[in-house]
Amino acid sequence: MDNTDRALFRTQLLSRHLQNDTAFTSNSPLQPSPCLHYSPPEARFEFDTKDLRKLVDGHHVEERDWLFRLMNGEPELFGVKRRGDRVFASPDYNQPMEQQREMTLKRIRYMAHQGAFHGWVTAPPEKIDLKKFAMLEICGAYDHSLAIKIGVHFQLWGGAIQFLGTKRHHDKWLELTEKYLINGCFAMTELGHGSNVRGIETVTTYDSSTGEFVINTPCESAQKYWIGGAAIHATHTVVFSQLEINGKKEGVHAFIAQIRDANGNVCPNVQIADCGHKIGLNGVDNGRIWFHNFRIPRENLLNSVADVSSDGHYISSVEDPDQVGLGVAIRYSLTRRAFSLATNGPEVLLLDYPSHQRRLLPLLAKTYALSFASNFLKMLYVKRTPESNKIIHVYSSAFKATMTWHNMTTLQECREAIGGQGLKTENRVGQLKSEFDVQSTFEGDNNVLMQQVSKALLSEFLSAKKSNIPLSRDLGLEHMNNSSPVIPSQLTSSILRSIQFQTDILCLREGDLLKRFAEEVSHYQAQGLSKQKTLTMTYQLAEDLGKAFSDLETFRSFVEVEANVSAADMKNILGLLRSLYVMITIEENVSFLRYGYLSTANAAAVRKEVAKLCTELRPHALALVSSLGIDDTFLSPIAFNWIEANSWSEVRN
């Protein structure tokens, strides 16, 4: 179509839009368009959404709902406002940064006063951890800043005292922490070191004449950076520092330090600066900290694994030192229409376009899959033992990277899928994208985390090979004790949807990549390259392997959930979601073609299957987003009657 034809087409299209049976005159009153109105989506649920929600949430559904009600019961504090016939709760992201920070603090204090954090750091972890996770998820659905600031205080500051400290620290600090009578932060990251904790440059020495540790920031790159809560509110921090005793470096240790007095004044020999305005997460006061001969009592060393005696002797026991965005976008696409397929015909719902289904429904399937993976990881953590800590680190590294990448991909697609409405702050999707962007790099750069996963898998593989023993189930590599799966030369729909094929293709990919990674590492080491240089040279295979591990373990967690469901209607919907998750994983990951796990013909079959699965899931879209457990007030006006919410009467109010 040339420019002339395109212009004619657009003119004809506009002409049809402008045609009306009643001629418009200058004195005609403005009236709603007779051809555009809000029609609620068809609520025909073929399975019990409450039961599916229980599977997705995994635990503490009543506590989640209690927190929803708590927030909705304080309209002024939590920004509860009426739009049309509904109410919505959302922070005011248009407030100045300083006001957003104060509102976050007020919300936490209110929640503490209402007993929301009872037992969070004083109860045995196995009895409280899952409840904490549930409530943090709800806080995150409301406002990422709220969840992060709570997490910094209870999980990082409080958790460090719990697990790195001993009875003397527990008795002194934990009750104060739980009642929010002090405000803690976690000073690990430095300007020059983030993921590489061993390389941090803050230095602590011991003065035996006074029985005090002396903390110093020896250079600008050693300043503590991006410390949540440090800029304004934190009174105390856990400082991670290199410990030097009698000139000997003993490695990284953690110390409790008070950085502000009861009146909020910064303590002597401490300097604090504000990290300033960010693209999101402005309800958290990130700050920078410098220490200059800052003295703390000897007892402030968190000494669960190492201690320093009063006369300065070092003693060690260690030998070797997404959901809101999809809820809005899919609900909107179930009521918003655009273009007609026939002249003068009705406009079509967005989600009835195959292209729109392809944009959103695979993301919904992956959200379900990762929700099940998250529940698996939480249970692994709650049942942890000292021997399982390394396993937890591998799984959490893989899932953290996968989930945060998925989060950003999903929010960007949802932002585009709702068009210009995605730019409005009140509709939350665009704002959520800014708020959650930081997840991709904080608590570990995602690519670095994937390389750590691959290093752990390689170590497990080589250890078993050297000892001539089968691979264990610890990291899910036991499938490599058998011969590699054989993929059928021609993939039909029934094969593609079978658990056997899906298991085989994901196991084949992980096993082959691990062997390739081992061969490549061996090749570089044979050339005399150092271990560090070798890992640098093999980063591409390492990242591919890390993703393969994450995808397989996510799939396994899905299959386990599905196996424990007996209701036929629920089993059917879970089967569709699982199959779509695997198909989209195969289609979007080039490694399946790059390394020859699929032929181009079979890759084309996978692509067609994605479209078929989207079509089959389309009637269940509303039920599926309704089952995610997000309270309606946490969504936005365009998720419901978006015409009424934007009416003139609403503008005047």
Side-chain angles (χ1 to χ4, degrees):
M1 181 184 290
D2 59 23
N3 289 339
T4 302
D5 291 338
R6 187 176 292 108
L8 179 60
F9 171 77
R10 291 178 64 84
T11 301
Q12 292 171 340
L13 187 65
L14 288 169
S15 176
R16 291 207 306 270
H17 278 294
L18 292 172
Q19 286 175 355
N20 202 319
D21 293 336
T22 304
F24 177 82
T25 60
S26 58
N27 58 359
S28 297
L30 289 174
Q31 297 178 347
S33 170
C35 61
L36 188 62
H37 61 279
Y38 173 79
S39 297
E42 182 181 355
R44 181 174 56 86
F45 298 168
E46 297 182 6
F47 56 89
D48 192 324
T49 57
K50 292 181 180 179
D51 287 345
L52 184 53
R53 182 199 169 182
K54 290 177 183 178
L55 290 178
V56 176
D57 284 345
H59 55 90
H60 290 88
V61 173
E62 292 181 3
E63 285 78 3
R64 295 168 193 261
D65 288 342
W66 174 84
L67 188 52
F68 280 131
R69 293 193 297 271
L70 182 71
M71 294 179 176
N72 290 332
E74 283 294 316
E76 186 173 342
L77 188 58
F78 288 95
V80 180
K81 298 179 180 178
R82 178 168 291 279
R83 293 294 303 275
D85 62 347
R86 289 183 172 270
V87 293
F88 300 97
S90 174
D92 184 355
Y93 294 113
N94 294 317
Q95 290 178 329
M97 176 185 71
E98 294 78 10
Q99 195 169 351
Q100 289 189 50
R101 291 173 170 180
E102 291 306 311
M103 289 301 295
T104 302
L105 182 65
K106 288 180 181 179
R107 288 167 186 144
I108 297 174
R109 285 176 172 166
Y110 172 75
M111 292 172 66
H113 181 70
Q114 295 298 315
F117 309 124
H118 179 68
W120 274 38
V121 292
T122 58
E126 65 274 12
K127 293 184 178 180
I128 198 67
D129 280 344
L130 287 177
K131 180 180 178 181
K132 283 196 293 186
F133 292 145
M135 298 184 78
L136 280 169
E137 287 167 12
I138 300 307
C139 291
Y142 170 75
D143 178 28
H144 196 204
S145 290
L146 180 64
I148 292 300
K149 197 168 178 72
I150 290 173
V152 166
H153 177 75
F154 288 100
Q155 302 290 84
L156 298 183
W157 154 265
I161 294 173
Q162 269 186 298
F163 302 116
L164 300 181
T166 53
K167 187 176 187 300
R168 73 189 188 206
H169 306 107
H170 299 165
D171 292 346
K172 183 174 181 179
W173 300 105
L174 291 184
E175 186 174 352
L176 294 172
T177 297
E178 188 165 286
K179 293 181 177 178
Y180 214 63
L181 299 176
I182 57 175
N183 195 318
C185 64
F186 188 79
M188 177 184 284
T189 300
E190 296 179 354
L191 178 61
H193 291 87
S195 299
N196 181 17
V197 176
R198 289 185 179 183
I200 62 176
E201 298 173 286
T202 301
V203 176
T204 298
T205 56
Y206 181 68
D207 184 349
S208 58
S209 66
T210 62
E212 295 173 313
F213 287 108
V214 184
I215 307 175
N216 273 287
T217 303
C219 53
E220 286 300 332
S221 60
Q223 63 180 274
K224 296 299 181 181
Y225 208 95
W226 289 124
I227 310 305
I232 305 295
H233 298 141
T235 57
H236 294 73
T237 188
V238 171
V239 183
F240 286 80
S241 169
Q242 301 287 354
L243 176 61
E244 293 185 6
I245 300 294
N246 299 320
K248 182 183 178 182
K249 295 182 178 180
E250 300 291 358
V252 176
H253 291 65
F255 304 83
I256 295 174
Q258 182 171 351
I259 57 176
R260 286 187 177 87
D261 62 23
N263 297 318
N265 301 309
V266 177
C267 293
N269 296 54
V270 177
Q271 289 179 308
I272 296 178
D274 199 320
C275 287
H277 196 275
K278 307 181 289 289
I279 63 172
L281 213 65
N282 283 301
V284 177
D285 52 316
N286 294 90
R288 304 151 64 186
I289 310 174
W290 294 257
F291 300 96
H292 305 285
N293 293 319
F294 183 69
R295 290 176 173 267
I296 59 173
R298 181 179 68 88
E299 292 76 17
N300 282 23
L301 167 65
L302 295 175
N303 63 337
S304 64
V305 296
D307 208 347
V308 175
S309 64
S310 59
D311 58 353
H313 286 91
Y314 182 74
I315 308 160
S316 175
S317 61
V318 181
E319 294 182 3
D320 184 11
D322 76 296
Q323 293 182 349
V324 174
L326 278 170
V328 171
I330 289 179
R331 284 176 181 271
Y332 182 63
S333 66
L334 285 166
T335 63
R336 180 69 159 86
R337 297 176 181 271
F339 303 105
S340 58
L341 299 180
T343 303
N344 297 325
E347 293 185 296
V348 180
L349 286 171
L350 292 181
L351 201 58
D352 283 338
Y353 284 100
S355 59
H356 214 75
Q357 295 172 11
R358 176 60 180 76
R359 295 174 74 176
L360 296 179
L361 296 183
L363 295 173
L364 183 60
K366 190 168 184 178
T367 296
Y368 268 89
L370 290 176
S371 295
F372 298 145
S374 175
N375 290 335
F376 161 78
L377 179 59
K378 285 185 284 188
M379 294 307 300
L380 196 64
Y381 177 79
V382 169
K383 297 177 181 179
R384 66 191 178 279
T385 64
E387 295 74 26
S388 68
N389 283 338
K390 288 186 177 179
I391 297 171
I392 293 172
H393 173 72
V394 175
Y395 277 95
S396 61
S397 296
F399 289 166
K400 184 269 180 183
T402 302
M403 291 175 186
T404 54
W405 275 328
H406 171 67
N407 195 3
M408 294 311 297
T409 299
T410 300
L411 288 171
Q412 179 61 31
E413 196 64 63
C414 290
R415 213 298 292 153
E416 295 180 26
I418 60 176
Q421 292 289 341
L423 297 178
K424 294 187 70 174
T425 304
E426 73 167 9
N427 289 331
R428 304 208 65 190
V429 178
Q431 187 66 42
L432 287 171
K433 183 171 178 290
S434 296
E435 292 291 309
F436 281 87
D437 198 339
V438 66
Q439 287 189 333
S440 299
T441 52
F442 78 177
E443 309 308 331
D445 176 273
N446 284 352
N447 291 293
V448 174
L449 291 176
M450 282 303 189
Q451 291 175 36
Q452 290 181 5
V453 171
S454 296
K455 286 168 60 179
L457 296 175
L458 177 63
S459 176
E460 183 86 358
F461 177 70
L462 294 179
S463 176
K465 190 175 181 181
K466 182 178 180 180
S467 302
N468 195 29
I469 58 174
L471 284 156
S472 73
R473 299 174 58 89
D474 290 347
L475 294 176
L477 295 177
E478 72 279 3
H479 66 89
M480 294 182 66
N481 296 323
N482 305 316
S483 57
S484 296
V486 176
I487 304 303
S489 58
Q490 186 174 359
L491 296 178
T492 63
S493 182
S494 60
I495 292 175
L496 287 170
R497 298 189 188 197
S498 69
I499 291 179
Q500 186 62 58
F501 163 76
Q502 294 166 6
T503 302
D504 286 348
I505 191 71
L506 294 177
C507 285
L508 174 64
R509 173 193 178 204
E510 181 189 59
D512 181 68
L513 286 173
L514 180 49
K515 292 174 183 176
R516 289 174 185 267
F517 185 48
E519 290 172 3
E520 191 164 282
V521 167
S522 176
H523 169 74
Y524 282 114
Q525 288 182 334
Q527 294 181 347
L529 270 66
S530 66
K531 181 180 179 181
Q532 190 58 44
K533 182 65 174 177
T534 296
L535 293 173
T536 301
M537 297 295 292
T538 57
Y539 76 95
Q540 289 181 314
L541 263 176
E543 291 177 11
D544 284 346
L545 175 57
K547 292 174 182 176
F549 170 81
S550 180
D551 292 340
L552 175 56
E553 294 307 313
T554 298
F555 167 75
R556 282 174 165 164
S557 68
F558 202 131
V559 171
E560 184 176 351
V561 169
E562 192 177 349
N564 291 318
V565 171
S566 57
D569 52 358
M570 187 71 71
K571 232 174 170 47
N572 175 62
I573 199 70
L574 288 173
L576 293 175
L577 289 167
R578 168 181 43 78
S579 293
L580 182 53
Y581 164 69
V582 177
M583 293 305 104
I584 203 65
T585 297
I586 295 172
E587 186 188 25
E588 292 183 346
N589 199 302
V590 70
S591 66
F592 288 93
L593 280 173
R594 177 188 291 143
Y595 301 109
Y597 311 137
L598 283 182
S599 66
T600 54
N602 279 341
V606 168
R607 187 176 181 84
K608 290 180 181 178
E609 198 64 27
V610 169
K612 289 164 65 176
L613 285 162
C614 286
T615 300
E616 291 176 43
L617 279 170
R618 160 62 183 89
H620 307 289
L622 180 60
L624 288 170
V625 294
S626 298
S627 301
L628 290 176
I630 304 297
D631 192 90
D632 286 355
T633 58
F634 280 33
L635 299 177
S636 69
I638 64 162
F640 301 98
N641 192 336
W642 44 273
I643 293 181
E644 182 181 4
N646 287 281
S647 66
W648 175 244
S649 61
E650 287 295 322
V651 173
R652 287 187 299 174
N653 292 333

